[in-house]
Amino acid sequence: MNITRQEIEDFLYQEAELLDSWKMKEWAALFSSNGTYVIPPIGNPDADFTKSLFLVHDDRDRLEQRALRLLKKEAHVEYPHSTTLHNVNNVRIVSNDENLVKVKCNFATYRTKRETLDCYVGVNEYTLVNENGELKIQDKKVVLKLDSLRPHGKVSIIL
């Protein structure tokens, strides 16, 4: 794909802004028709989802359902919504061919709710494709660089 690092950075910043603004429908629309969103187990980024318990392993339909569910009052853990701040940095193109581009970037996502601040840090691995003339996420893998999750042991926001 003929795309620059600056265009990729702008796309990733847009994703971060959508998440921080709780525009979940728009966030889900960034994914291709066969997109995936996964968070493998901490300490095992190359785990096989058929043999390991992933924090998140969503195909396109599930990630859209997750996004819509987070907007409902019934999603008690995120109602009212947390305040989040997604920071993206060290964006690098891993490979770039005519059909897709693989990108890695570091991230820090801050979440505050009920006077508690959580910080999630790690590396996002993306496969980006051109679908119908638009840049889309085919795969997003969130590799958490943490020893463990806080005692609550969950990720209730979209990283």
Side-chain angles (χ1 to χ4, degrees):
M1 246 178 0
N2 189 16
I3 188 166
T4 67
R5 186 174 54 113
Q6 184 63 53
E7 290 170 316
I8 292 168
E9 286 179 357
D10 289 345
F11 181 80
L12 298 179
Y13 297 153
Q14 176 194 11
E15 179 194 21
E17 185 176 345
L18 290 173
L19 290 170
D20 290 338
S21 302
W22 284 86
K23 293 182 177 177
M24 297 302 168
K25 293 176 189 176
E26 293 87 345
W27 171 79
L30 294 177
F31 284 79
S32 69
S33 56
N34 63 343
T36 64
Y37 169 65
V38 299
I39 306 175
I42 291 175
N44 193 3
D46 298 318
D48 178 348
F49 76 92
T50 63
K51 298 177 181 171
S52 298
L53 182 61
F54 275 49
L55 296 168
V56 174
H57 192 277
D58 290 353
D59 62 12
R60 179 64 171 82
D61 289 335
R62 267 192 80 122
L63 75 85
E64 191 168 310
Q65 290 170 9
R66 178 184 302 277
L68 294 174
R69 187 174 61 248
L70 283 171
L71 294 175
K72 296 180 180 177
K73 289 182 181 180
E74 291 80 15
H76 299 290
V77 71
E78 282 304 327
Y79 195 85
H81 301 314
S82 296
T83 300
T84 62
L85 182 64
H86 290 73
N87 288 312
V88 176
N89 56 58
N90 283 6
V91 176
R92 53 227 181 261
I93 297 173
V94 177
S95 67
N96 191 351
D97 67 34
E98 65 183 60
N99 298 321
L100 57 87
V101 60
K102 291 190 178 274
V103 175
K104 284 187 179 182
C105 65
N106 297 346
F107 75 89
T109 300
Y110 299 92
R111 170 191 180 261
T112 183
K113 185 163 179 122
R114 297 185 184 101
E115 300 179 11
T116 300
L117 175 67
D118 291 310
C119 180
Y120 302 90
V121 295
V123 176
N124 284 333
E125 299 177 8
Y126 292 90
T127 302
L128 304 176
V129 296
N130 183 318
E131 185 175 87
N132 300 321
E134 291 185 283
L135 187 61
K136 296 287 185 174
I137 301 168
Q138 182 173 302
D139 302 301
K140 179 179 180 180
K141 179 178 176 182
V142 179
V143 179
L144 289 168
K145 298 289 189 172
L146 302 171
D147 294 333
S148 65
L149 294 174
R150 279 188 342 105
H152 54 65
K154 66 181 176 258
V155 177
S156 62
I157 58 170
I158 294 177
L159 298 172

